[in-house]
Structure formats: C-alpha cells, structure tokens
Amino acid sequence: MLSLADRWFNPPVALAPMAGITDLPFRSLVSRFGAGLVVSEMVASQEMVQAKPGVREKAELGLGIANTVVQLAGCDTRWIAEAARMVEDRGAKAIDINMGCPAKKVTSASGAGASGSALMRTPDHALRLIEAVVGAVRVPVTLKTRLGWDDDCLNAPEIARRAEAAGVQMITIHGRTRCQFYKGRADWAAIRAVKDAVRVPVLANGDIVDGPSARRALEQSGADGVMIGRGAQGRPWLLAQVAAEIYGTPAPVIPQGAELADLVAGHYEAMLGFYGRDLGGRAARKHLGWYMDHAGTGADLRRRVLTAAPDTVLHLLPDAMQDTVCERHAA
C-alpha cells in the first residue's frame, strides 16, 4: 500500500497514461475491475487553459473518481501551473507531470515546445516546471519519466532526487530512454538506481504484461509497485489480475463468451456516449481490435466489426467474442 499524502493507493498497480486510449470510458472500466490507480491521457497545459476544443474534455470528466490522476505536459511554468490549479479545482486527486513521452511532436521545440522526455535534456528547466506545479496545488504531485534521453544521458536518478526535494511524492520510470522509443526490452534493473536515489515510492513501467513480468520487474528494479500500459489494451481486467497474483487482492472474474460480449458492448456504448456517435465509433475501433485479438476472432468477422455502423457492431459482438479463451491469449 503506497501513500500519496493522506490518500492511500492500494494495490500498487497503476494504469499508465496512453494518448487516445486512457480516456474516461477505458479508465472507468479498468477502475471497475480493481486497479489501484489510473492516469488520464496526457493533457497539454496551455491548450487546457485556453480551452482548445477536445482538450479540457480529457481531464474535466471523471475527476471525482478517487483513484484518478491527471497527467499534464508543458514547457512553460505559467501554463502548467495554471492548468494544475484548474484540474485541482475540478476535483483531480493528484497531478502527474509528463517527462516521459517520446513523440517528436511533443519533444520538438516546433511542436509542444520541447516538453515530455525532452525535459530530461534540460533538468534545471524541468525542475522549475516541477516547482511551479507543486507550488500551485495542494494535491499530491507525481512525476513520470524515462531512464534518460539516450544512453549518454541516463540522468533519471539525478532528476528524481531533485524532484523529490521539490515536493514530488511518487515517481514512475519507464525502463527505456527516449531515443529507444518502444524498441528493445525495458531495462527494469536500471530503475533500481532511481529507487536507491529517493525515499518516495517508485513505480516500474515498461513491458509489464502479466503477473510473472510484473514480479520480475519488481525484483529487478526494487520498485514499490508497477504501472501497466500497452499490456492492458483489450484486457481491462489485467491490472486487477496482476494485483491478485502479486499482492493477494481479490482476483477478478475474467469475462468470456457472452459475458465478454456484454463488457465490450458496454465499453463501445460508453465511447459513443462520451465522444458522440461518429467520433466515438472511430475512436472505439482500436479497442474493438484489441478485444478481438485476445478473442481470436476470425479475419472476415473482424473486418465486418471494424467497418460496420454502430448498431451493426453491437449486433456482431456476440459472435465476435464467442468461444473466447482469454487466458490462452493473455500473454
């Protein structure tokens, strides 16, 4: 059980922020199964404050859910502090600072103004951003970052020490450098240097897809918990399943066949309601694809589901999820 100020985070298994994926419908579904913590999609600070269409919606809804953290990105102390105050006022229970996103549009000065993992190249400026957020809000502030920019700049321990001194209360480390993007394997052992550098809780992230990989990540990193991202795609129960295997919490009932079809239909309808029928239908396709990956849906039926109108999708889902053996596809 990890403590963020006076708020308990239990079990120490968190859903990673993923752009276009960890929206309110998906976070709510993962939370319902029993995740310890869920993190919103990355929210661009300046666009949030300036009410750019589609940006506030990522953070405005679901803030009342106790285990929800809102992740902010930015490169300007004024905007990130104001965005932090804004989401706190709307009910955010904690705020995470993004220093891990490797996308070029985020890390380039011509895009988001050299934010995300680019901040690891400018630790003094990164610290000013952290101090601005910590000073702006009363809720806990956390940090998510990588091992460094590249193999010649593995400065996560230094940044973690300075972030802790500035008031950050938890740090998540993805076990790759920015220049690795998502290639190769996450280096969980390298996270141990960060764990040794700070007293606040540290979460290990990267390539954690089941109970055994979570256990290895914890053993190699010495971390206090894990954060799971891509492994949960199409498996919203995965965090609860890992927590049960590692920490002995109640095991989730993993839906199969008709029960899985009902779950997927509920997720699909939640996305239609959240985004609107047209955008929601398009946004849901990737989730439908992941569900069908794990269900072993045949190619022809898969194509029909991914190209059909919403009413037809709902009609096809029972067949698409039939004879599912989730455990067989879980890894």
Side-chain angles (χ1 to χ4, degrees):
M1 186 180 297
L2 303 182
S3 175
L4 291 181
D6 60 344
R7 295 165 177 83
W8 295 107
F9 166 22
N10 183 43
V13 179
L15 176 66
M18 293 180 283
I21 299 169
T22 55
D23 53 19
L24 180 63
F26 188 64
R27 295 198 311 271
S28 298
L29 189 54
V30 171
S31 292
R32 200 164 76 224
F33 275 100
L37 200 71
V38 296
V39 186
S40 75
E41 298 176 78
M42 178 184 72
V43 180
S45 300
Q46 183 172 348
E47 287 83 350
M48 171 78 182
V49 175
Q50 295 177 331
K52 182 177 178 181
V55 174
R56 281 196 183 182
E57 288 76 4
K58 291 181 180 179
E60 270 190 311
L61 302 176
L63 295 181
I65 300 174
N67 66 342
T68 296
V69 175
V70 173
Q71 187 183 73
L72 298 177
C75 63
D76 184 281
T77 56
R78 170 196 169 193
W79 293 118
I80 199 168
E82 183 59 30
R85 282 189 288 267
M86 183 176 292
V87 296
E88 180 188 39
D89 289 344
R90 285 164 169 74
K93 302 301 186 293
I95 294 168
D96 187 67
I97 299 172
N98 182 305
M99 285 179 53
C101 180
K104 290 182 179 179
K105 66 179 181 179
V106 174
T107 59
S108 67
S110 59
S115 55
S117 57
L119 292 169
M120 302 197 76
R121 305 178 77 180
T122 56
D124 290 343
H125 180 55
L127 184 65
R128 288 191 289 272
L129 293 171
I130 292 168
E131 291 171 337
V133 174
V134 172
V137 298
R138 298 175 300 279
V139 298
V141 176
T142 65
L143 176 68
K144 187 173 190 293
T145 185
R146 288 185 167 230
L147 297 174
W149 177 260
D150 57 23
D151 289 340
D152 295 323
C153 181
L154 299 174
N155 58 350
E158 172 203 347
I159 289 174
R161 278 192 297 267
R162 297 180 70 180
E164 179 184 37
V168 162
Q169 297 186 36
M170 187 175 74
I171 298 168
T172 300
I173 303 293
H174 184 113
R176 290 181 174 88
T177 66
R178 182 271 175 183
C179 289
Q180 284 181 275
F181 285 84
Y182 296 98
K183 296 177 181 177
R185 297 292 301 172
D187 187 352
W188 299 321
I191 298 173
R192 185 173 288 275
V194 176
K195 175 59 184 171
D196 291 343
V198 298
R199 294 183 299 275
V200 296
V202 173
L203 300 185
N205 174 231
D207 294 342
I208 298 171
V209 297
D210 53 21
S213 58
R215 195 179 300 277
R216 290 194 301 273
L218 289 168
E219 291 171 350
Q220 293 179 28
S221 67
D224 302 284
V226 295
M227 180 173 278
I228 298 175
R230 291 172 293 167
Q233 293 170 351
R235 295 186 292 167
W237 53 82
L238 177 65
L239 278 75
Q241 186 178 15
V242 168
E245 293 182 29
I246 302 296
Y247 299 107
T249 56
V253 176
I254 300 176
Q256 299 184 29
E259 291 182 353
L260 180 60
D262 288 343
L263 180 144
V264 177
H267 186 185
Y268 185 67
E269 290 177 316
M271 294 192 72
L272 297 180
F274 184 70
Y275 291 107
R277 190 175 179 87
D278 292 339
L279 178 57
R282 294 195 299 273
R285 287 172 186 160
K286 53 182 172 288
H287 290 281
L288 294 174
W290 293 322
Y291 285 123
M292 289 189 288
D293 285 343
H294 294 296
T297 307
D300 182 63
L301 181 53
R302 178 190 180 94
R303 179 188 58 77
R304 290 166 61 198
V305 169
L306 294 179
T307 57
D311 290 343
T312 304
V313 169
L314 292 168
H315 177 73
L316 292 172
L317 283 177
D319 286 340
M321 298 296 118
Q322 193 64 16
D323 297 326
T324 303
V325 183
C326 294
E327 288 303 297
R328 184 181 64 201
H329 299 282

